[in-house]
Amino acid sequence: MSRRTVIAGNWKMHKTLGEARELVSGLRQRLEALGSPADRIDVLIFPPATLLFPMAKAIAGSRILMGAQNAHDAAQGAFTGETSMRHVADTGCAHVLVGHSERRHVFGESAEFLARKVVSGLAAGLTVVYCVGETLAEREAGRTEAVVGRHLDEGLSADLDFSRIILAYEPVWAIGTGRTATPQQAQDVHQFIRSHLSKRFGGPVSDGMRVLYGGSVKPDNAAGLLEQRDIDGLLVGGACLSAEDFAAIIGSAVNRARQILS
Ligand code: PGA
């Protein structure tokens, strides 16, 4: 089954309005210069919440899609400082990240909270990019599959609309550390994710699910990761803050699509 490639950029807590406009305009220029079949790649940016409205304007008329990095599960209420999934949808976002390792480990979000966010993101009409991944200690203890399987079981259930869920495998030890999983290490976990989905939810869900890799993706390692059979795209942190680097990573995906078509 052919799954559309996704190249996503998580800006985290970076970029002011002026810097963000510059980044998107640089990205738009570079995307136009990418040859065919660039239209087979979904390009997705995750700006900070204050930039969602202006970035919706900045990407208008381009192929760039936008998502929020986080949102609360409640539809509305007394949650000072929080943003709801409906707020996110209001800005023109089509996507939301749920379960990023920084939400799990830095902000201590529980499995139950994240599961509720998946449901409420879908209810708000968004596509949920649900992140899973093990820490270094868990990998070294041989628990990678147990942890990733548990994250999948905690966040997903059979009644969800899987056509609006994308998964991201992000080993915590590779995020922001410059230490990328090798293509083979990543492929092994992606294959595990697909077989786990197949057992839980059946072949069509498993075959159709897009599973992205994230963790120190750079222009020079993107191609090797994208060659792997079960890797359907990349979730990029640091390298997406430069239009040149992010466009180079998108360029790797375009080259890969070209190879497959030829
Ligand atoms: P990184 O971040 O590319 O800077 O490692 C990836 C992520 O956290 O999504």
Side-chain angles (χ1 to χ4, degrees):
M1 142 150 345
S2 98
R3 297 177 290 262
R4 277 181 74 82
T5 304
V6 183
I7 305 294
N10 176 6
W11 295 10
K12 307 194 180 181
M13 202 171 73
H14 294 285
K15 303 289 178 189
T16 59
L17 179 56
E19 292 163 350
R21 285 196 171 125
E22 206 172 300
L23 173 60
V24 167
S25 109
L27 190 57
R28 288 185 70 146
Q29 279 165 20
R30 286 173 174 81
L31 283 183
E32 274 164 33
L34 286 177
S36 150
D39 58 347
R40 295 174 70 99
I41 316 294
D42 288 337
V43 176
L44 181 51
I45 58 170
F46 289 94
T50 58
L51 296 178
L52 294 174
F53 273 114
M55 289 308 102
K57 237 182 182 169
I59 61 174
S62 77
R63 296 191 307 99
I64 304 171
L65 303 166
M66 187 175 72
Q69 297 172 19
N70 179 41
H72 198 278
D73 73 296
Q76 58 188 336
F79 298 103
T80 302
E82 289 293 320
T83 303
S84 72
M85 295 289 177
R86 297 196 311 173
H87 286 133
V88 165
D90 246 3
T91 66
C93 278
H95 295 74
V96 65
L97 275 181
V98 172
H100 187 277
S101 82
E102 286 146 23
R103 301 303 318 174
R104 291 180 189 271
H105 299 291
V106 182
F107 298 101
E109 294 192 353
S110 69
E112 295 72 27
F113 192 25
L114 297 176
R116 292 202 306 271
K117 290 185 185 209
V118 172
V119 171
S120 79
L122 294 174
L126 300 167
T127 292
V128 172
V129 181
Y130 179 67
C131 307
V132 301
E134 81 288 1
T135 63
L136 185 59
E138 288 163 341
R139 172 162 284 259
E140 286 176 344
R143 296 186 48 233
T144 298
E145 293 189 357
V147 171
V148 169
R150 193 188 77 224
H151 286 168
L152 293 172
D153 293 345
E154 287 166 347
L156 305 178
S157 54
D159 53 340
L160 299 177
D161 176 359
F162 287 103
S163 71
R164 282 192 291 117
I165 295 177
I166 296 174
L167 298 177
Y169 167 57
E170 297 206 302
V172 180
W173 48 273
I175 296 177
T177 58
R179 190 177 160 191
T180 330
T182 63
Q184 190 59 51
Q185 279 175 322
Q187 165 59 25
D188 288 347
V189 180
H190 281 239
Q191 196 176 347
F192 164 75
I193 290 173
R194 222 173 283 291
S195 75
H196 193 85
L197 292 176
S198 171
K199 277 185 215 141
R200 297 278 159 167
F201 308 116
V205 169
S206 165
D207 288 346
M209 182 65 73
R210 292 182 292 174
V211 188
L212 318 184
Y213 168 81
S216 295
V217 173
K218 306 288 176 218
D220 62 359
N221 59 29
L225 290 159
L226 288 168
E227 272 169 20
Q228 303 305 311
R229 194 162 47 90
D230 290 299
I231 298 185
D232 305 308
L234 302 168
L235 178 53
V236 184
C240 81
L241 300 175
S242 143
E244 193 181 343
D245 287 354
F246 194 48
I249 293 169
I250 298 163
S252 297
V254 174
N255 286 339
R256 174 80 186 137
R258 209 172 279 148
Q259 279 167 12
I260 290 170
L261 287 176
S262 69

